Amino acid sequence: MKQVVTFGEIMLRLSPPLHYRFTQANSFEATYGGGEANVGAALAGLGVPAAHVTCFPPNELGQAATQSFQRLGVDMSHTVYSGKRLGLYFLEVGASMRASKVVYDRADSSFANLDPAAFDWDEILKNAQWLHWTGITPAISASAAQAISEGIQAARRMGLTVSADVNYRRNLWQYGQRAQNVMPDLVAGCDVVVCSENDADDLFGIKPAAGTDNKFASISEQLMTRFPQIKQVISTRRKTQSASHERIKGQLFDGAYSETPYYDITPVVDRIGGGDAFLGGFIYGTLNYATPQEALHFAVVASALKHTIHGDVNLVTVAEVEHVLQGNTTGRLVR
Amino acid sequence: MKQVVTFGEIMLRLSPPLHYRFTQANSFEATYGGGEANVGAALAGLGVPAAHVTCFPPNELGQAATQSFQRLGVDMSHTVYSGKRLGLYFLEVGASMRASKVVYDRADSSFANLDPAAFDWDEILKNAQWLHWTGITPAISASAAQAISEGIQAARRMGLTVSADVNYRRNLWQYGQRAQNVMPDLVAGCDVVVCSENDADDLFGIKPAAGTDNKFASISEQLMTRFPQIKQVISTRRKTQSASHERIKGQLFDGAYSETPYYDITPVVDRIGGGDAFLGGFIYGTLNYATPQEALHFAVVASALKHTIHGDVNLVTVAEVEHVLQGNTTGRLVR
Amino acid sequence: MKQVVTFGEIMLRLSPPLHYRFTQANSFEATYGGGEANVGAALAGLGVPAAHVTCFPPNELGQAATQSFQRLGVDMSHTVYSGKRLGLYFLEVGASMRASKVVYDRADSSFANLDPAAFDWDEILKNAQWLHWTGITPAISASAAQAISEGIQAARRMGLTVSADVNYRRNLWQYGQRAQNVMPDLVAGCDVVVCSENDADDLFGIKPAAGTDNKFASISEQLMTRFPQIKQVISTRRKTQSASHERIKGQLFDGAYSETPYYDITPVVDRIGGGDAFLGGFIYGTLNYATPQEALHFAVVASALKHTIHGDVNLVTVAEVEHVLQGNTTGRLVR
Amino acid sequence: MKQVVTFGEIMLRLSPPLHYRFTQANSFEATYGGGEANVGAALAGLGVPAAHVTCFPPNELGQAATQSFQRLGVDMSHTVYSGKRLGLYFLEVGASMRASKVVYDRADSSFANLDPAAFDWDEILKNAQWLHWTGITPAISASAAQAISEGIQAARRMGLTVSADVNYRRNLWQYGQRAQNVMPDLVAGCDVVVCSENDADDLFGIKPAAGTDNKFASISEQLMTRFPQIKQVISTRRKTQSASHERIKGQLFDGAYSETPYYDITPVVDRIGGGDAFLGGFIYGTLNYATPQEALHFAVVASALKHTIHGDVNLVTVAEVEHVLQGNTTGRLVR
Amino acid sequence: MKQVVTFGEIMLRLSPPLHYRFTQANSFEATYGGGEANVGAALAGLGVPAAHVTCFPPNELGQAATQSFQRLGVDMSHTVYSGKRLGLYFLEVGASMRASKVVYDRADSSFANLDPAAFDWDEILKNAQWLHWTGITPAISASAAQAISEGIQAARRMGLTVSADVNYRRNLWQYGQRAQNVMPDLVAGCDVVVCSENDADDLFGIKPAAGTDNKFASISEQLMTRFPQIKQVISTRRKTQSASHERIKGQLFDGAYSETPYYDITPVVDRIGGGDAFLGGFIYGTLNYATPQEALHFAVVASALKHTIHGDVNLVTVAEVEHVLQGNTTGRLVR
Amino acid sequence: MKQVVTFGEIMLRLSPPLHYRFTQANSFEATYGGGEANVGAALAGLGVPAAHVTCFPPNELGQAATQSFQRLGVDMSHTVYSGKRLGLYFLEVGASMRASKVVYDRADSSFANLDPAAFDWDEILKNAQWLHWTGITPAISASAAQAISEGIQAARRMGLTVSADVNYRRNLWQYGQRAQNVMPDLVAGCDVVVCSENDADDLFGIKPAAGTDNKFASISEQLMTRFPQIKQVISTRRKTQSASHERIKGQLFDGAYSETPYYDITPVVDRIGGGDAFLGGFIYGTLNYATPQEALHFAVVASALKHTIHGDVNLVTVAEVEHVLQGNTTGRLVR
């Protein structure tokens, strides 16, 4: 099978153990993750060949980050080593009504300062069938935006499927460009997008039609009209009960609307990467199931399972997802 | 008071910390347990003299396993040291809808290769009032089956009470005998058995009477007819909500049916050994209470408490079980 | 802003990790706390200048205890170093229906043996606006009772607000005096008291008026009649579901009765110090909000958040409490 | 083989991990030990039946202490549960020129407050061949002194060998008696004593003969003259290089003087209990070897090995000691 | 550059933390290693393309083992998943005169039961320049011996360099064949062998010429005479001071004898894999340096550095080895 | 006593546990330190009032850094909160010949971007007797250089003693100024400097007089001629044996030369901050001893002890230093 290629920043994540607060931390648990690489790693775990493309500093932390994804079977051979530092983020894990917190320290990272010319997309994509990116990448820097733009163009030229999680994070856009100017051209090249109603409004000024019963379908329809390449809009919907208790379902619009039941997750072990697990599951499902509804259901269960796993990456097998899909949601011991 | 003697394999249990997956484990927490020894250790903790009889390799791991139960006050002086390896199992602790998983690595253990002649049952049982075994033992090997068979015969001969958790695990029966051929003779020597409806069907072809309102009573009655030595059939019934949330009650048939209320356990700290705690509690209750209903209630509360305790063994006192039995289920701080 | 001064014992708290039982502990997590110092530290974290007054042994453990509160910004410069040992308590953290347990080892501590003359209250209180104490202090020893008595008198003389958590613990009163004889004179000097219905009965023989709809208001009214200096009686009310699940609300009587909604806490990370967090929140709220109702609401949310934080001390900021006060109880990730 | 019985206090030892200082400790490693019980546990590990007699508080810490030695095979069935607290000590592990430090918190322990009448020495010693005690016990309290005095008398009456590590610790003698008055009567009942030159001077006013070449032989000879029951005086001699590097040899006087070579230990993993390991080794050697010189050599190697083992207790087998005795001091990997 | 291919078993290594003894272990640190895979991983870390060929059980432990080497950049794509269990070994880390200990539990592993036909050597070696194996592999089972025999034949046929660490371990040869019968044919196909004087005697009956000054040269010369394909014999020589202090040098005979200076290692962090690091270093050196003497020196420094690194695998870069080779042996801080 | 004020950056230090390599780290131990603050904290531990002046980001990491030094008794009330990030460094702890490694990630920190106008030196220094800085500060940024320049001027104006560790780190000077241009004016304001022969050459072009027997005295003399305010030049001299074994002595020139004996440190627990401990010891000694030779000796012993303590900061008391000064270098247990 051909590769799914993902492109984006990988950061070192530093978390106090258990539910300790930042100021209580005498140690930080260290893992590596990024919104796009998490998708690749999830796919590798599901048996889909995956390659991630990124830029790390030429030091031991860059090496450790490479090894972290290499370990999961992701092809890291396209990594560019340049620049001075690995982006970091600090994560404090909340509980009950106390929210988890993230403190970013990613400015001026190697990835932010990447040289777009260092990525030979024709070479990178030559064994690929799919390119995935997120709205975080063009938010980081002009050069990151340029690199993914070139990647999308190459992918289109080479006939790959392109997917994006548009994921608008206002605080990230610091380099002088507005998301609203940059994102439309990039999204125009996509076949599949994850886009919430807020994202649609913030990025594209698309609001649900007045009085609609189905806001998600409404904004999805408008998105597909504006960007005719898009064939599927998907999203998770969360009913967050507390930092320790989540409920999620999946939504899909591909002309028609479909959705999954809600899945209940309590306790939540680690919510970071839940959306990436959803995307990874959806790509897997698209490549392996007959209908988008099956892919959607696979995706939301994969995401639910991710919430029970430490770290950014969804470490589940196809068999484990399918076990839950078949109704085994009670977590009975497997011997 | 005379001893309760248990007989069976003890394994080294290796678990990744917290909810880590096997592939994430950089360390394994090490505890020792076995379905029968767990009963003995629970009894020792409740103040009942207990001895466990088993076979370990003559190496440091065998020594550590011995010490682990010796520490809890179990008489380990009958341990036979022979063979080459300690049986192991790896336990991954699930959460929410993600199931816990067990990977066994117990083949060819010292216990499986025990020499039945190494156990002098007349000596072992000379200070005993009760012998307990489980269906795991005869599943392991012909020699293990022979040893427990001889033990049961000695116990009968010496007038002890004999109990068994019939516990049918299809995968374990690998040595050429079928459980259906081996178990009946052994069960025939028992006074008390733990037997679920599935076990009754799988092992003895006993199915609930058509149209019965009370399947457990129905199969128990048939069991007692088939095996007249049996005077009590007991079982837990679980309404598993998730890997983190369990509900259990106890059931008893001794001619008449009785049951306890359900007890709610959330979060579940460690579900392994919940059944053994139930049995330990029932033996304690039988020896200390006036009625089997009281023993049953004690047993199910003991089992519920076990779910809140790390490791295979139920580390609770009589006072703690009785505190909950008296309705203190809200876990208020004890100063 | 002038200081809030607290006075009382600080103990070393030793807890097995996670939910391990005492007999399973190969290590104990070490933190330091005390009912009064926890209030001071909570206030320091909320930006209110706080000083704690206590007595430690002149050894490394006393030094560590000092540093522990100094770190949180509490002025520890009034610490007296004398006596021989630091009081200890061992805490086992329960789960579900298994209660947490405390084993005290505080007899004959440096604090119990303090010399009242070592505390120069005029000096200690010269920059203070508020003095807080609890019913634990006069329970410890005659000299501790005398010291706080002198402190209260000085505070009254100097025009400070005085608050107390009357907190009756029968087992603590071991030195030959009865709480019922000692407490009234101390409480008579207070402006604000935390007092439950049980405390009112046990300490002052005050029972709710027969047939009252509001027992808390009834006992509060009687308290305020008996002790005219008291202007506010407050309390938390708990509906404990299990060791892992708590519900709390706040109650206030200041002539009129008011209360807050219940807040749900699941899972409970650490319930020790929940009452101290309530008091710290109430003092903060009194100093910063227009109405006692606002102070009460701040206090109960602060207490709820404390249940999600390891250790005795409430490590939350004003912004975090206000975030929940504004209805954000679902713990959504803060980036 | 008959038991060796030891009598004395067991304390909870709390150590910061690695080389952390007390004030840096966020956790303490918890082990249990005592100068006499360490001897018993060492003997149990060497295959000699051992029983330890002590007094613990009737709480979970007392239970944990019991289990800790029960685990090692020491007969703890004579434990008396009374009093209020378990003695503690805090240990900070030094390195290089930084000394390890001990902070004791053992005053008013259950053992210090034991009731001598609670120990039925005829019963305790009925299966014993040897009684061992140390000078720490009579230092703790009058009742402890009385208990061991009665034990020694019973042992003499019953024909047991009695050994003592006289171990003078000036700071411990706080209850109004002087060691110099108490110890002679106790030592008079001993067959074997560990006594350094300082101890001989401090306790008995015995100084080496002027101008002697062998101070140890000189004081030993005088001891044996003063206390004719004594047949052997032994001691370790240390050339401490640093907290991380120790050199020890063994010395024996039994009419004639003998000694072992020095053994070099670097790094020292844990020096606590090195003397107890020496004694345990000497008792083992006395019971199993033809000559006291062999026993002495076994003892010093056992002690040297103890320095490489965490905790108070020497966890080595006879085979391991003999391996080193045969000259294998280079620690080559054993497969 | 073409790959170096290694073939052999990888085991899960379970070690108590720090210097804890097996019976003290409440957890085991988990790493994965094997004498041949360690060579491959060391080479990957030095920048040489490496592939390892092995057989794992099709379960999570096999997956974890694969990931462990994949992470280090070793091509694990030839792994065969079959059989039932992963081989294990338990390692206790000694100190000073206390030896480290290994308890093997590798019998009946997936590797031992591999099917030689599952390995397509022409395919495996098609991009390779070098095949490395050790004497452990043919000791494990007849099928393992057959597999490596076929591998060596293919390598010879395809013109690769073949190296072996002959590594005679008497205890391993359990399947009915004698090493002395099996090894000669395998060694005959090698260009480079690691062979100590003991190995030469045990395996081939080759003893140093009487009265020789250089035993290593003497046995090497005879080996090269007996097996003309061999062009280089190498070995480390150790002067072990203690479990914590090692001295090593390297020796080479390729017609002429050469050796390196001794390197002093204190403290030893982890001695396992020191020989594999030597071999990895020698292969790197052979591929990158002009003379075998340079390769030898690189190898011994790589091995010395390995002793300072946790786990079986040598995690050092070329720059780090060369830094020491240039005389920087004092470990000064690198900023 | 008046304060010693230090000024400089404090970084979060992240270290893999034990001797793990960066790429093996699954967690990092978190401590906070900086060359100047370490001096202040050492002084606070020695009983000298100390204040540290710095700039942190207004986030939880800044708060944690503040608390870390506040805990040690350092007055942190002058901290300025501005900018975006806390500087970090990653530390890998070597062993034997493997060097420890530091990876800095401090660019663009809050401190580097501080506003010099935010520091009111007249206010900061009003209760001070001494100002200490290092050559790291002016290397970080122009604004940091300006801030310390203003601080030195204020200190001179107010009659304080000024000390500096000139500490030339070539890699740090990245903002466009050369150390050689910036440092002379700053050093001109100092009374005491730490300056090695390399520093003297690199920064000031001062080389030892040709043929001198005492290079340190020679460069010190020239320094004092060039900068007449300097009255004392001090330095440590190291004979580094390995990453685990250090030897240090102290040197002083104040017109005449003096030095201390070498102190041997093995094992080294943590070498970071050894120089800062020396300086802290020297300032303490200057304030408390009669002669600079005594101060120097105190300083070198304090530094030696620091090598045995985890973290950047020297946590020793005066009594502990004096104990070693009195010749107690063998680290015998202190009870």
Side-chain angles (χ1 to χ4, degrees), chain E residues 26-188:
Chain E
N26 299 294
S27 68
F28 291 102
E29 295 175 1
T31 54
Y32 297 87
E36 304 82 3
N38 298 345
V39 172
L43 284 164
L46 296 169
V48 176
H52 184 70
V53 182
T54 191
C55 181
F56 287 140
N59 65 19
E60 284 87 348
L61 296 171
Q63 188 187 359
T66 296
Q67 289 188 356
S68 175
F69 280 87
Q70 205 163 259
R71 172 176 161 274
L72 299 174
V74 178
D75 175 358
M76 297 295 287
S77 64
H78 303 296
T79 307
V80 172
Y81 291 94
S82 65
K84 297 209 173 152
R85 67 182 299 260
L86 186 67
L88 309 173
Y89 75 99
F90 294 87
L91 170 69
E92 181 184 270
V93 180
S96 190
M97 77 191 59
R98 178 163 64 84
S100 292
K101 277 197 183 174
V102 169
V103 173
Y104 285 106
D105 180 11
R106 64 194 297 180
D108 213 26
S109 69
S110 289
F111 188 85
N113 291 317
L114 64 79
D115 174 6
F119 299 91
D120 177 350
W121 286 103
D122 288 323
E123 177 65 22
I124 290 168
L125 299 177
K126 76 176 174 200
N127 295 315
Q129 62 177 316
W130 193 301
L131 174 67
H132 174 68
W133 63 281
T134 78
I136 294 169
T137 297
I140 289 173
S141 67
S143 59
Q146 186 183 336
I148 190 55
S149 172
E150 292 173 11
I152 295 166
Q153 291 166 38
R156 286 259 64 86
R157 196 166 61 232
M158 297 166 82
L160 279 65
T161 302
V162 177
S163 61
D165 182 345
V166 301
N167 202 352
Y168 177 55
R169 298 218 193 130
R170 197 180 316 261
N171 295 338
L172 268 182
W173 290 84
Q174 303 274 351
Y175 66 90
Q177 286 289 346
R178 297 185 63 238
Q180 293 71 9
N181 296 337
V182 174
M183 287 291 286
D185 282 355
L186 301 176
V187 168

Side-chain angles (χ1 to χ4, degrees), chain D residues 195-202 206-208 214-217 219 235 237 251:
Chain D
C195 185
S196 70
E197 293 146 37
N198 286 340
D199 287 338
D201 189 6
D202 291 338
I206 292 177
K207 295 179 203 304
N214 189 330
K215 294 180 178 178
F216 178 74
I219 64 105
S235 186
R237 186 167 294 271
Q251 297 176 296

Side-chain angles (χ1 to χ4, degrees), chain B residues 2-302:
Chain B
K2 288 190 160 190
Q3 285 182 327
V4 176
V5 173
T6 53
F7 176 75
E9 184 165 23
I10 291 174
M11 293 180 282
L12 168 57
R13 158 180 153 176
L14 294 165
S15 303
L18 303 172
H19 295 286
Y20 284 99
R21 304 224 66 178
F22 285 131
T23 56
Q24 296 178 297
N26 299 295
S27 68
F28 290 102
E29 296 175 1
T31 54
Y32 296 87
E36 305 82 3
N38 298 345
V39 172
L43 285 164
L46 296 167
V48 177
H52 184 70
V53 183
T54 192
C55 182
F56 288 141
N59 65 19
E60 284 87 347
L61 296 171
Q63 187 188 0
T66 295
Q67 290 189 354
S68 175
F69 280 87
Q70 204 163 262
R71 173 176 162 272
L72 300 174
V74 178
D75 175 359
M76 297 294 288
S77 63
H78 303 297
T79 306
V80 172
Y81 292 93
S82 65
K84 298 211 173 148
R85 67 183 299 259
L86 186 67
L88 311 172
Y89 76 99
F90 295 87
L91 169 68
E92 181 184 272
V93 180
S96 189
M97 79 191 58
R98 177 162 65 85
S100 292
K101 278 198 182 171
V102 169
V103 172
Y104 285 106
D105 180 12
R106 64 194 297 180
D108 212 28
S109 69
S110 288
F111 188 86
N113 291 317
L114 63 79
D115 172 7
F119 300 91
D120 176 349
W121 287 103
D122 288 323
E123 177 65 22
I124 290 168
L125 299 176
K126 77 176 172 197
N127 294 315
Q129 62 177 317
W130 193 300
L131 174 67
H132 174 68
W133 63 281
T134 78
I136 294 168
T137 298
I140 289 172
S141 67
S143 60
Q146 186 184 334
I148 189 56
S149 172
E150 292 172 11
I152 295 167
Q153 290 165 40
R156 286 260 62 86
R157 195 166 64 232
M158 298 165 81
L160 279 66
T161 302
V162 177
S163 61
D165 183 344
V166 301
N167 202 351
Y168 178 55
R169 299 221 192 127
R170 197 180 313 265
N171 296 338
L172 267 183
W173 290 84
Q174 303 275 348
Y175 66 91
Q177 286 290 347
R178 296 185 62 237
Q180 293 74 7
N181 296 337
V182 174
M183 288 292 285
D185 283 356
L186 301 175
V187 167
C190 292
D191 304 280
V192 182
V193 297
V194 178
C195 185
S196 70
E197 294 147 36
N198 285 341
D199 287 339
D201 189 6
D202 290 339
L203 287 170
F204 311 113
I206 292 176
K207 295 178 202 302
T212 181
D213 279 351
N214 188 329
K215 294 181 177 176
F216 178 74
S218 172
I219 63 104
S220 297
E221 196 161 27
Q222 296 175 62
L223 264 177
M224 289 164 69
T225 305
R226 170 99 60 95
F227 304 108
Q229 182 69 33
I230 298 178
K231 296 169 200 73
Q232 294 175 314
V233 183
I234 58 174
S235 186
T236 52
R237 186 165 296 270
R238 293 165 176 273
K239 288 193 182 168
T240 304
Q241 311 293 302
S242 80
S244 311
H245 187 178
E246 190 67 86
R247 302 187 68 217
I248 60 165
K249 70 173 179 187
Q251 297 177 298
L252 164 74
F253 188 84
D254 59 356
Y257 174 79
S258 46
E259 66 176 28
T260 71
Y262 272 102
Y263 282 83
D264 208 66
I265 309 142
T266 173
V268 171
V269 172
D270 191 328
R271 72 179 51 240
I272 306 292
D276 308 326
F278 176 73
L279 215 326
F282 190 74
I283 295 173
Y284 173 85
T286 299
L287 299 175
N288 288 278
Y289 288 105
T291 68
Q293 284 71 30
E294 287 170 288
L296 184 74
H297 209 162
F298 187 95
V300 79
V301 168

Side-chain angles (χ1 to χ4, degrees), chain F residues 207-268:
Chain F
K207 294 179 203 303
T212 181
D213 279 351
N214 188 329
K215 293 181 180 176
F216 178 73
S218 173
I219 63 104
S220 297
E221 196 161 26
Q222 296 175 61
L223 265 177
M224 289 165 69
T225 304
R226 169 99 60 97
F227 303 109
Q229 181 71 31
I230 299 178
K231 295 169 202 69
Q232 294 176 314
V233 183
I234 57 175
S235 185
T236 52
R237 184 166 299 267
R238 292 166 177 272
K239 288 194 183 168
T240 304
Q241 311 293 302
S242 80
S244 311
H245 187 177
E246 188 69 84
R247 302 187 70 216
I248 58 166
K249 69 174 180 188
Q251 298 176 295
L252 163 75
F253 187 83
D254 58 355
Y257 174 80
S258 46
E259 68 176 26
T260 71
Y262 272 102
Y263 282 84
D264 208 66
I265 310 143
T266 173
V268 171

Side-chain angles (χ1 to χ4, degrees), chain C residues 32 57-67 86, chain D residues 21-24 90 92 101-103, chain F residues 317 320 334:
Chain C
Y32 297 86
N59 65 17
E60 284 86 349
L61 296 171
Q63 187 188 0
T66 295
Q67 290 189 355
L86 187 67
Chain D
R21 304 224 66 179
F22 285 131
T23 57
Q24 296 178 297
F90 295 86
E92 181 184 273
K101 278 196 181 173
V102 169
V103 173
Chain F
T317 62
E320 290 170 337
V334 177

Side-chain angles (χ1 to χ4, degrees), chain F residues 69-144:
Chain F
F69 279 86
Q70 206 163 258
R71 173 176 161 274
L72 299 173
V74 178
D75 174 358
M76 297 295 286
S77 63
H78 303 297
T79 307
V80 171
Y81 291 94
S82 64
K84 297 207 173 153
R85 67 182 299 259
L86 187 66
L88 311 171
Y89 75 98
F90 295 87
L91 170 69
E92 181 184 270
V93 180
S96 189
M97 78 191 59
R98 178 163 63 84
S100 292
K101 276 197 183 174
V102 169
V103 172
Y104 285 106
D105 180 11
R106 64 192 298 180
D108 213 27
S109 68
S110 288
F111 188 86
N113 292 317
L114 63 80
D115 173 5
F119 300 92
D120 176 349
W121 287 102
D122 288 321
E123 178 65 22
I124 291 168
L125 299 177
K126 76 178 172 197
N127 295 315
Q129 62 177 315
W130 193 301
L131 173 67
H132 175 68
W133 63 280
T134 78
I136 294 170
T137 298
I140 289 173
S141 67
S143 59

